């Protein structure tokens, strides 16, 4: 999950402290920058010419590290998705300074108003990024999507492409997008529903200063943003299927939320006034959620946070990898500029689809990557939580002494976990003789951005 959006830089001072506290990587070492400058001059020599194919990108307007570009064409009743992925491996030599630094970082780390890149900007926002300012080397996945939304990886090739347009979620119109874009997304969504997938994409939270007061709110997701996610999903599913069939690869796995997590979520829904029928499963309830409604958006975020963390596992004979939210075998291949693991998955798929051996070092990398990615994901998760704590403390700083309605969502040795009814804030409070589901009134006693933390006291 990307970090809290902070367009007004209201959190900048606190974020600097969070960077230090969580040891977020800083500037790249000189030898890495020098190697990246040299690598950026490398010209494609093993790539097919696909300059005539009308690729476009679709991302937030401010993004410059563009991993994906796409083109779509009809093939009878099927659709062919040509999904171009930044050819990071073309620029990064295994064992070289850039590669060694990437293994230390694991992922691009996002913070409100800032990020610490996986690769130096001359590559991630320049030569390797699929920007519309000239030819770029890419690895193009061709995915066949049938009328039922089932996917099949038809081909993978290194190619030189040229993006025709840098489209933005905030301004794109249906006329800007390739024919078949909405149809393809609808097919993938229909296939997800049939599988019983429970993928939750809550809108991003953003901090804004309104009438001199800090507010924490949700940025609405656009239809194009949701549809664009389906293209990446289709490609990752198709890649996972091929890697599993060839008994190799690295897979993204995620367990089902446990009974205690589901119980907490039922009480969270109650706190927000959402009606969740007792006999309806979490997956069924999720299907009806509206991210445009602030309370339902907050509940979607609660689902994301309550879910057991996803992880990575290499292929193991007799142990099929499974991603519960996707209800499928799944892999990450579509963001190599931002995730170290994707580079190895992309190059392995390129090899096996074209009848070549798995690249030297990839199998060894698959064994080491789960721990590296887990460390990077853990740091990002801690930063996300700390940034939210910082925003909440700043938002409530002038409201000490105010009372709020809350519902108890869980109880453990540290006290009661509660969900405020009118704000998307989860906090703890010392409360005796309460049960899960109890309503109570609490008073804000402290909001300290320096920690960052908030404290509440039960009043009734």
């Amino acid at each position: 999950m990307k970090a809290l959006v902070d367009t007004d830089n209201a959190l900048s001072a606190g974020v600097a402290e969070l960077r230090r506290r969580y040891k977020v990587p800083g500037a790249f070492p000189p030898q890495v920058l020098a190697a990246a400058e040299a690598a950026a001059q490398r010209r494609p020599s093993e790539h097919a010419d696909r300059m005539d194919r009308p690729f476009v990108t679709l991302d937030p307007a401010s993004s410059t590290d563009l991993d994906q570009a796409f083109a779509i064409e009809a093939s009878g009743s099927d659709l062919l998705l040509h999904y171009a992925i930044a050819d990071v491996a073309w620029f990064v030599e295994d064992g070289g300074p850039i590669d060694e630094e990437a293994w230390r970082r694991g992922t691009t780390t996002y913070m409100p108003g800032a990020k610490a890149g996986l690769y130096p900007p001359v590559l991630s926002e320049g030569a390797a990024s699929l920007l519309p300012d000239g030819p770029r080397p890419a690895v193009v996945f061709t995915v066949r999507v049938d009328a039922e939304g089932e996917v099949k990886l038809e081909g993978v090739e290194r190619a030189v492409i040229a993006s025709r347009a840098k489209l933005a979620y905030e301004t794109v119109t249906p006329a800007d997008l390739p024919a078949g874009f909405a149809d393809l997304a609808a097919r993938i969504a229909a296939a997800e529903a049939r599988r019983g997938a429970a993928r939750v994409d809550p809108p991003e939270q953003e901090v804004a200063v309104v009438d001199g007061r800090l507010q924490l709110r949700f940025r609405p997701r656009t239809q194009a943003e949701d549809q664009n996610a389906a293209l990446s999903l289709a490609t990752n599913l198709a890649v996972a299927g091929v890697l599993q069939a060839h008994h190799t690869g690295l897979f993204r796995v995620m367990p089902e939320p446990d009974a205690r997590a589901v119980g907490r979520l039922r009480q969270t829904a109650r706190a927000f006034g959402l009606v969740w029928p007792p006999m309806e499963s979490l997956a069924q309830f999720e299907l009806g959620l509206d991210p445009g409604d602030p309370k339902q958006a907050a509940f979607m975020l609660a689902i994301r946070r309550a879910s057991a963390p996803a992880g990575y596992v290499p292929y193991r004979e007799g142990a099929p990898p499974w991603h519960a939210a996707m209800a499928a075998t799944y892999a990450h291949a579509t963001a190599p500029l931002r995730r170290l693991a994707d580079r190895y998955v992309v190059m392995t798929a390129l090899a096996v689809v074209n009848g070549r051996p798995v690249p030297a070092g990839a199998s060894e990398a698959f064994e080491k990557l789960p721990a590296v990615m887990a460390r990077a994901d853990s740091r990002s998760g801690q930063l996300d939580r700390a940034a939210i704590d910082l925003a909440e403390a700043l938002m409530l700083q002038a409201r000490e002494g105010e009372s709020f309605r809350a519902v108890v969502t869980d109880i453990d040795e540290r006290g009661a976990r509660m969900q405020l009814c009118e704000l998307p804030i989860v906090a703890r409070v010392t409360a005796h003789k309460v049960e899960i589901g109890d309503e109570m009134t609490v008073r804000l006693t402290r909001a300290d951005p320096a920690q960052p933390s908030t404290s509440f006291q039960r009043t009734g």
Side-chain angles (χ1 to χ4, degrees):
M1 185 169 22
K2 286 193 177 182
L4 188 68
V5 178
D6 182 23
T7 53
D8 294 326
N9 293 318
L11 309 182
S12 57
V15 168
E17 170 59 21
L18 293 182
R19 285 192 79 139
R20 183 197 64 78
R21 183 180 304 174
Y22 291 100
K23 298 181 173 59
V24 177
F28 287 91
Q31 67 272 23
V32 175
L33 293 174
E37 290 285 352
Q41 306 305 312
R42 191 177 185 196
R43 295 293 173 258
S45 61
E46 300 175 9
H47 297 68
D49 185 346
R50 297 291 180 258
M51 295 281 288
D52 60 340
R53 192 167 281 161
F55 285 101
V56 297
T57 62
L58 179 58
D59 296 273
S62 60
S63 294
T64 51
D65 49 347
L66 308 184
D67 287 289
Q68 312 116 4
F70 59 90
I72 299 170
E73 65 173 302
S75 176
S77 62
D78 296 343
L79 293 172
L80 291 181
L81 168 63
H82 302 291
Y83 210 52
I85 304 299
D87 192 357
V88 177
W90 184 251
F91 297 99
V92 178
E93 177 186 0
D94 284 346
I98 307 170
D99 181 51
E100 290 180 351
E101 182 66 17
W103 275 85
R104 281 189 284 271
R105 295 179 178 233
T107 63
T108 292
T109 302
Y110 293 93
M111 298 152 285
K115 67 179 180 182
L118 176 62
Y119 297 106
V122 69
L123 294 179
S124 63
E125 300 176 41
S129 178
L130 302 182
L131 293 160
D133 58 358
R136 289 291 193 280
V139 176
V140 180
F141 294 88
T142 296
V143 180
R144 181 174 293 275
V145 183
D146 70 16
E148 301 299 313
E150 299 302 321
V151 299
K152 179 184 178 183
L153 189 58
E154 293 242 316
V156 189
E157 64 174 354
R158 270 184 152 151
V160 175
I161 70 160
S163 173
R164 306 292 175 86
K166 182 180 182 288
L167 305 178
Y169 294 142
E170 299 88 337
T171 57
V172 68
T173 68
D176 299 326
L177 292 160
F181 176 79
D183 185 10
L184 192 152
R187 294 182 186 196
I188 297 303
E192 283 192 277
R194 284 194 303 275
R195 291 197 311 270
R199 181 170 57 93
V200 177
D201 285 322
E204 288 180 325
Q205 285 185 286
E206 62 181 2
V207 173
V209 179
V210 180
D211 296 330
R213 194 169 190 173
L214 199 68
Q215 290 188 1
L216 185 60
R217 61 193 186 186
F218 290 95
R219 179 186 66 80
R221 282 179 69 91
T222 66
Q223 183 181 38
E225 190 172 357
D226 288 329
Q227 292 171 330
N228 192 44
L231 275 60
S232 179
L233 174 65
T235 304
N236 285 330
L237 288 170
V239 169
V242 164
L243 295 184
Q244 187 176 25
H246 284 81
H247 297 196
T248 187
L250 186 73
F251 300 90
R252 189 70 164 161
V253 294
M254 183 179 183
E256 297 275 1
D258 61 26
R260 184 168 183 172
V262 173
R264 285 201 304 267
L265 287 170
R266 283 196 174 275
Q267 301 310 324
T268 300
R270 181 184 171 197
F272 287 139
L274 306 181
V275 179
W276 180 353
M279 300 306 294
E280 193 171 73
S281 70
L282 175 60
Q284 291 169 328
F285 185 55
E286 288 172 14
L287 294 176
L289 293 174
D290 176 11
D293 178 274
K295 289 192 175 182
Q296 294 184 54
F299 184 71
M300 294 172 74
L301 186 61
I303 295 172
R304 175 70 66 86
R305 290 173 174 166
S307 300
Y312 291 88
V313 297
Y315 177 82
R316 291 284 187 264
E317 197 70 43
W322 191 251
H323 194 295
M326 302 296 178
T329 298
Y330 193 65
H332 272 165
T334 55
L337 289 173
R338 290 169 281 168
R339 293 187 299 245
L340 172 64
D342 293 38
R343 171 159 49 106
Y344 294 91
V345 172
V346 167
M347 297 316 297
T348 299
L350 176 65
V352 299
V353 169
N354 291 287
R356 299 195 298 269
V358 175
S363 295
E364 181 182 349
F366 291 152
E367 296 296 325
K368 296 187 294 183
L369 280 165
V372 173
M373 301 303 291
R375 282 197 301 272
D377 285 347
S378 175
R379 180 176 60 207
S380 293
Q382 290 172 331
L383 273 168
D384 285 343
R385 288 189 293 273
I388 294 294
D389 289 344
L390 173 63
E392 291 174 353
L394 285 167
M395 180 176 64
L396 295 173
Q397 193 172 20
R399 302 179 67 175
E400 287 92 340
E402 284 191 35
S403 294
F404 301 85
R405 289 190 307 113
V407 170
V408 177
T409 60
D410 197 13
I411 300 170
D412 60 22
E413 65 279 359
R414 292 179 291 171
R417 186 202 300 261
M418 63 181 181
Q419 171 71 60
L420 299 190
C421 295
E422 302 303 326
L423 294 171
I425 292 177
V426 176
R428 289 188 178 276
V429 64
T430 300
H432 303 290
K433 298 182 180 180
V434 297
E435 296 181 0
I436 294 172
D438 282 356
E439 295 185 14
M440 60 183 175
T441 301
V442 295
R443 184 176 66 249
L444 177 67
T445 58
R446 182 175 60 88
D448 184 1
Q451 288 304 313
S453 65
T454 56
S455 296
F456 294 85
Q457 184 179 60
R458 187 182 182 187
T459 61

